[in-house]
Amino acid sequence: MNSGNIETGKYKGINREEIMEHISMNLEHARHVENERLSLNSIFSAIVAGVLAFTLGGDNSFVGFMSMTFLGFLCILSMLLNKRWTDVFAAHTKVAQNLTKELYGDNMKPNDFYYH
């Protein structure tokens, strides 16, 4: 490995620094997706608390029914978005893990991926 290139495997001939950059980019994307998911959950919690306070404070059954219907729709939307972001997060993490395995080869230690 005198040239700094990967000598075997799928990424043969690619510079090690390029792979390290790709690992870093994938982990940054994963962190961004996780932040989006956390923001969605915070906003969702605030909306649920507001709608429940509004609904439980009133006497109109139609407004209560419409509020609960809205919350049901919002729950389904939130679950779908969370599933999507979980899948994207897992994909970015998996790519980074595979690149780390390719970078270190058989000499990879369990903490090498988490070091990045």
Side-chain angles (χ1 to χ4, degrees), residues 28-72:
E28 286 177 23
H29 288 310
R31 185 174 53 240
H32 177 72
V33 169
E34 187 67 15
N35 286 337
E36 286 179 343
R37 187 168 65 163
L38 288 171
S39 296
L40 170 76
N41 286 328
S42 297
I43 292 168
F44 174 75
S45 297
I47 290 172
V48 167
V51 169
L52 286 176
F54 174 75
T55 303
L56 296 176
D59 293 330
N60 191 341
S61 62
F62 178 73
V63 172
F65 173 75
M66 292 306 292
S67 297
M68 291 302 133
T69 303
F70 172 72
L71 280 183

